[in-house]
Amino acid sequence: KFSAEADVKGVNVVTAQAFTKDSATDFTVQLQKIKESGADLVFLPVYYEPAALILTQAEKAGLNVDFFGCDGLDGVIAQLGGDAELAEGVMLLTPFAADAEDEKTQTFTAAYKAAYNNEIPTQFAADAYDAIYIIKAAIEKAGATPDMSVSDLCEALKTAMTEITVDGVTGSMTWSADGEPTKEPKAMIIKDGAYSAL
């Protein structure tokens, strides 16, 4: 899907590389092919664990490109630990930016930091927080009661999910009949060892 949309937008995909779960520790072959392709940007639709390895191995391979990823990259700074400077300039889309100035984000971030040793929350923490309130909203919309069968509750919640809007710390969310959520992403860039709104 990325390649098809890139084509529509006039973005030239010069190489597409992949890996399997079993080969998710050594990216030297893929990185060499990327280097030989002349790419200036690498799209990483992966989580922060393999992304940290990719960034580390890209540095060793002398690959000088920009990296862009999805919300799965949120957490790469902590994953890199003492090598966090390798993530400098990495861009990602995420539904949550801890440094956003709205009241909901600031309240959630302050509470999270107080509860977890001053750790800055990532989108995974914010998504989990919102998920509880999404379930609550769906239960209330469905008029669910403790005596409902699991099957009846499931059906009631599936219907209710398409009828609710939840304004959470990750944004305002609605759901389509096929379960797809709609909410606005936020663009971030890693600057000076921290996630910053782009």
Side-chain angles (χ1 to χ4, degrees), residues 1 3 11 23 25 29 39-40 65 108 114 125 135 139-140 144 157 160 177 183:
K1 287 186 176 186
S3 294
V11 174
S23 67
T25 56
V29 171
D40 2 292
V65 297
F108 170 73
I135 294 167
I139 287 171
E140 289 171 350
L157 291 179
K183 67 178 166 181

Side-chain angles (χ1 to χ4, degrees), residues 6-197:
D7 203 34
V8 169
K9 302 285 189 210
V11 174
N12 183 22
V13 177
V14 294
T15 186
Q17 300 298 312
F19 61 90
T20 65
K21 183 179 177 185
D22 293 335
S23 67
T25 56
D26 183 358
F27 302 99
T28 53
V29 171
Q30 293 93 333
L31 291 167
Q32 184 59 38
K33 288 181 180 178
I34 291 167
K35 190 173 182 179
E36 290 168 1
S37 76
D40 2 292
L41 175 77
V42 175
F43 175 56
L44 296 175
V46 299
Y47 283 104
Y48 55 85
E49 296 97 336
L53 291 172
I54 291 167
L55 292 173
T56 301
Q57 293 171 22
E59 170 77 8
K60 288 178 184 167
L63 183 60
N64 185 20
V65 297
D66 291 325
F67 290 94
F68 172 73
C70 305
D71 56 1
L73 261 62
D74 204 345
V76 72
I77 294 172
Q79 187 72 26
L80 284 165
D83 294 325
E85 73 278 354
L86 294 177
E88 190 70 16
V90 170
M91 298 167 284
L92 63 145
L93 292 178
T94 179
F96 176 77
D99 67 346
E101 296 179 2
D102 64 280
E103 185 180 338
K104 280 185 183 182
T105 300
Q106 290 306 304
T107 300
F108 170 73
T109 300
Y112 189 92
K113 288 171 74 174
Y116 297 101
N117 262 351
N118 214 29
E119 182 179 323
I120 297 170
T122 64
Q123 69 98 34
F124 297 105
D127 277 340
Y129 179 82
D130 279 352
I132 298 302
Y133 287 98
I134 292 165
I135 294 167
K136 177 183 182 289
I139 287 171
E140 289 171 350
K141 180 68 175 176
T145 58
D147 61 334
M148 292 175 79
S149 72
V150 172
S151 180
D152 289 345
L153 179 60
C154 180
E155 290 306 311
L157 291 179
K158 285 194 313 191
T159 299
M161 286 299 296
T162 65
E163 300 171 349
I164 62 172
T165 298
V166 176
D167 294 317
V169 295
T170 64
S172 182
M173 297 161 270
T174 58
W175 291 264
S176 66
D178 63 0
E180 284 293 319
T182 298
K183 67 178 166 181
E184 290 294 317
K186 294 174 178 72
M188 309 253 295
I189 188 165
I190 298 174
K191 283 195 319 192
D192 301 321
Y195 302 98
S196 300

